[in-house]
Amino acid sequence: MGELLTIGAFAHHTRLSAKALRRYDDLGLLRPAHVDPFSGYRYYDPAQLDRARLIAWLRRIGMPLAAIGRVCTLPPPAAAREIREYWARVEAETAVRRDLATFLVDHLTGKDPTPMSTHETTLTVTYAAASDTGLVRETNQDTAYAGARLLAVADGFGGGGAGASAAAVAALKRLETTAPLPAGDLLNTLHDAVELANHEVAAHTGDRVGDPAGTHAGSGTTLTAMLWTGSQLALVHVGDSRAYLLRDGELLLITHDHTVVQAMVDDGRVTPEEAASHPQRALLLRALDGGTPPTADVRLRDAHPGDRYLLCSDGLHAAVAEDAVREVLTATAGDPDRAVRALVDLARAAGAPDNVACVVADVAA
Ligand code: MG
């Protein structure tokens, strides 16, 4: 043990305040090497400087103290992994907040032609939905729905999967009959709708009445849906079904998969190419499983005349290359019925190892 440092000297060396050091002592994050039994003064060993500096740096990137406590007990490689994962989560959350901030700035500066409270421009949407069991599965647990104001796909899993995906879509369908909402209320309403959907999914999962054998345990569903309000659409998304936008001949993925493998891609631990064939690519980070309601990605987008939207389950996007999907969407322009049938055919031509659900919608002025 080197010569002990007073709390003032230790604070100076670590750029931590004496107040912060007392707090870290109380929390067990960083105990002083010695506390004077008479004065109560704290003394620190110079060997504790490294740990104190690590704590100070982790505070600067905003890591909560509980997580810092965990990182401090890990060997360096595991600590590095924990920090990388924390930062990937921060960036994902920031991306959602950035979209919301952009939306608010556009509205308040009048850049967006749609006022917050009324909808003067109304676009016409034509649409079609299709779902298919595929060539391998015995039952179809996917649900696809397209209506004048709502488009949705849900991919159920587990013994109660079919009921779960149908219940989730049914819960959202109730929004179709409510009056168009001002954009400001829409986001909250959609968050509420996801909670309701999750609540209704609970009837199809877990050890509920009518499932004494427990075959419905671990069941749930993904949910990717769009609700139209005049010239805007609200996108709600949980799980690994996807939404794409075909605009000016380009196919853009506009949702982010909530899967373990996607998180590893975000982290730089696997490449997108490796992810496509990763054995755990179907493992979901978020789903509607009737338990704690998951955080849904909810965002507003401006729709343009000429836009074509595709919602699909992984039975399409995991089985068929994006280029082939884009070609079919381009070749069937203006005919959503033909588009969904052609997409199901594509999946079947690729062996259709999973259920397929897809919805195509065309926007016109
Ligand atoms: Mg699936």
Side-chain angles (χ1 to χ4, degrees):
M1 199 185 274
E3 198 169 323
L4 294 184
L5 300 168
T6 64
I7 190 167
F10 195 73
H12 175 75
H13 283 299
T14 56
R15 305 286 189 279
L16 288 164
S17 68
K19 188 176 160 206
L21 286 171
R22 284 193 293 272
R23 181 136 183 258
Y24 299 161
D25 180 12
D26 291 341
L27 291 169
L29 263 181
L30 186 66
R31 298 262 190 234
H34 174 70
V35 180
D36 187 288
F38 300 106
S39 64
Y41 289 160
R42 294 166 168 85
Y43 294 90
Y44 291 84
D45 190 316
Q48 293 181 291
L49 282 169
D50 278 349
R51 180 172 182 142
R53 288 191 180 116
L54 177 62
I55 294 171
W57 289 330
L58 292 173
R59 285 305 279 165
R60 286 182 66 172
I61 63 168
M63 188 180 270
L65 288 170
I68 291 178
R70 205 164 48 242
V71 168
C72 285
T73 61
L74 295 171
R81 198 161 52 237
E82 189 92 356
I83 295 168
R84 206 159 44 220
E85 282 167 13
Y86 163 74
W87 194 248
R89 280 197 302 278
V90 169
E91 290 196 314
E93 282 159 20
T94 304
V96 172
R97 291 168 62 192
R98 184 183 54 222
D99 285 357
L100 186 55
T102 306
F103 159 74
L104 291 171
V105 168
D106 285 353
H107 266 301
L108 295 171
T109 55
K111 208 171 116 194
D112 187 315
T114 314
M116 276 296 252
S117 53
T118 59
H119 300 277
E120 286 152 5
T121 349
T122 302
L123 298 165
T124 313
V125 184
T126 50
Y127 46 84
S131 184
D132 188 78
T133 308
L135 300 171
V136 175
R137 299 286 172 92
E138 287 185 357
T139 58
N140 189 357
Q141 299 192 311
D142 282 8
T143 298
Y145 173 80
R149 289 186 54 214
L150 179 73
L151 312 171
V153 297
D155 179 348
F157 54 85
S165 71
V169 172
L172 280 196
K173 268 158 90 171
R174 288 185 214 161
L175 294 177
E176 275 197 305
T177 53
T178 60
L181 290 160
D185 291 344
L186 191 60
L187 295 174
N188 292 339
T189 304
L190 286 168
H191 277 295
D192 292 347
V194 169
E195 280 200 26
L196 175 69
N198 188 58
H199 179 74
E200 309 223 329
V201 162
H204 303 271
T205 178
D207 48 358
R208 303 278 154 164
V209 184
D211 182 30
T215 53
H216 286 37
S219 299
T221 185
T222 72
L223 180 64
T224 301
M226 284 179 180
L227 188 72
W228 300 91
T229 72
S231 69
Q232 284 196 312
L233 59 91
L235 181 63
V236 192
H237 168 67
V238 178
D240 70 345
S241 295
R242 289 181 175 179
Y244 289 91
L245 165 63
L246 183 75
R247 183 180 280 176
D248 303 327
E250 272 195 81
L251 189 65
L252 301 164
L253 175 62
I254 56 174
T255 49
H256 195 75
D257 292 352
H258 298 144
T259 59
V260 172
V261 168
Q262 181 60 49
M264 288 160 75
V265 172
D266 299 342
D267 245 14
R269 277 184 286 158
V270 302
T271 66
E273 294 72 35
E274 287 164 345
S277 57
H278 197 284
Q280 287 180 309
R281 66 186 177 280
L283 215 58
L284 295 176
L285 277 181
R286 291 188 223 168
L288 302 173
D289 61 6
T292 310
T295 308
D297 290 343
V298 172
R299 50 190 72 175
L300 290 171
R301 302 184 58 95
D302 289 318
H304 296 177
D307 282 351
R308 168 166 263 202
Y309 289 91
L310 163 68
L311 307 186
C312 64
S313 64
D314 65 341
L316 180 71
H317 71 72
V320 178
E322 229 166 75
D323 276 346
V325 171
R326 182 174 44 78
E327 277 167 29
V328 160
L329 289 174
T330 309
T332 57
D335 190 344
D337 273 310
R338 204 155 68 84
V340 292
R341 273 183 278 123
L343 290 171
V344 169
D345 288 347
L346 258 190
R348 292 178 73 91
D354 193 2
N355 305 147
V356 188
C358 52
V359 172
V360 169
D362 288 324
V363 181

